[in-house]
Amino acid sequence: SYELTQPPSVSVSPGQTARITCSGDSLPVQFAYWYQQKPGQAPVLVISKDSGTSSGIPGRFSGSKSGTTATLTISGVQPEDEADYYCQSADNSGTYPVVFGGGTKLTVL
Amino acid sequence: QVQLQESGPGLVKPSETLSLTCTVSGALITSDYWSWIRQPPGKGLEWIGNIFDSWNTNYNLSLKSRVTMSIDTSKNQFSLRLSSVVVADTAVYYCARGPYDFCSAGSCYFDYWGQGTPVTVSS
């Protein structure tokens, strides 16, 4: 199977920068996408195609990728950014067209 | 504005078949790929599969033997059937849209989601 690996949790104070990583062997050739999910709500797309901020998402959210690691960066974290974040991609063989990372709980201290 | 709404029974008995329908508004169901994604209580997201039309479906290998998806263009709806359910199939089930250009090229993502519907498998 193909896996995307995320840290289970990240904690930051308000105003600081949060970075959430996602590692996967196919990421050099496949786009990474990021979703934010708040309790009791459906996920919301925040970053598409590695680094494109989705419509309506604040500019403090950005994405990047280097080799086998994609990173979601939240600059100047706000209390309302506390949520679970999931990366999503695909393997390069087509066997696993959609795979989600395990999710990262962002806590704003 | 694209909207998706899941519907179906909230309780299914073990060994029976789970059936859900997603009604799409604000978009033609013939234009994009449509997925089912689930989330067990307290756990992460799991993609179940997607459908473009009756001849183009893709299923998660781990669920493939039990999953069937179908599409009804006259009602702008698509459906999920998951057979022989067990307690571990208890989850919130979401339907979501995947843009055609990216899903057809093997890089699917999800820009619109339904609110999700909880399904419990229990006798």
Side-chain angles (χ1 to χ4, degrees):
Chain A
S1 65
Y2 179 61
E3 295 184 353
L4 295 172
T5 301
Q6 298 180 235
S9 63
V10 169
S11 299
V12 295
S13 299
Q16 289 188 329
T17 296
R19 294 181 180 85
I20 299 172
T21 58
C22 173
S23 298
D25 289 342
S26 293
L27 284 177
V29 295
Q30 289 285 359
F31 286 125
Y33 302 93
W34 291 93
Y35 302 87
Q36 176 193 67
Q37 186 181 34
K38 296 183 178 180
Q41 298 182 18
V44 172
L45 179 70
V46 294
I47 298 292
S48 65
K49 294 172 283 181
D50 297 338
S51 59
T53 307
S54 189
S55 175
I57 301 301
R60 61 181 179 272
F61 288 83
S62 63
S64 62
K65 192 174 72 177
S66 178
T68 59
T69 301
T71 302
L72 171 68
T73 301
I74 310 172
S75 304
V77 168
Q78 301 297 306
E80 60 265 32
D81 298 333
E82 184 163 291
D84 293 325
Y85 291 86
Y86 294 90
C87 63
Q88 179 247 308
S89 187
D91 81 318
N92 61 356
S93 72
T95 304
Y96 302 96
V98 177
V99 177
F100 287 97
T104 299
K105 169 67 176 179
L106 174 66
T107 300
V108 182
L109 300 170
Chain B
Q1 177 73 354
V2 179
Q3 294 184 321
L4 297 89
Q5 178 67 60
E6 306 89 350
S7 58
L11 180 64
V12 183
K13 290 182 168 55
S15 79
E16 294 189 345
T17 296
L18 178 161
S19 295
L20 297 174
T21 296
C22 182
T23 301
V24 178
S25 58
L28 286 178
I29 204 162
T30 53
S31 300
D32 291 291
Y33 279 74
W34 305 94
S35 278
W36 288 98
I37 297 159
R38 70 181 183 178
Q39 185 171 37
K43 296 188 177 181
L45 301 168
E46 179 181 34
W47 179 73
I48 300 170
N50 67 16
I51 184 168
F52 175 68
D53 56 30
S54 298
W55 301 272
N56 289 281
T57 56
N58 298 284
Y59 301 143
N60 187 324
L61 286 180
S62 67
L63 298 169
K64 189 173 184 177
S65 63
R66 299 195 290 133
V67 172
T68 303
M69 293 184 183
S70 59
I71 198 163
D72 186 337
T73 56
S74 68
K75 296 181 180 179
N76 228 41
Q77 294 176 335
F78 65 105
S79 298
L80 167 71
R81 288 173 58 85
L82 181 66
S83 64
S84 305
V85 296
V86 296
V87 171
D89 293 315
T90 294
V92 174
Y93 285 74
Y94 296 98
C95 56
R97 185 184 86 162
Y100 176 82
D101 287 351
F102 286 85
C103 291
S104 61
S107 184
C108 209
Y109 67 97
F110 311 104
D111 53 0
Y112 293 97
W113 296 64
Q115 64 185 22
T117 188
V119 177
T120 300
V121 178
S122 175
S123 55

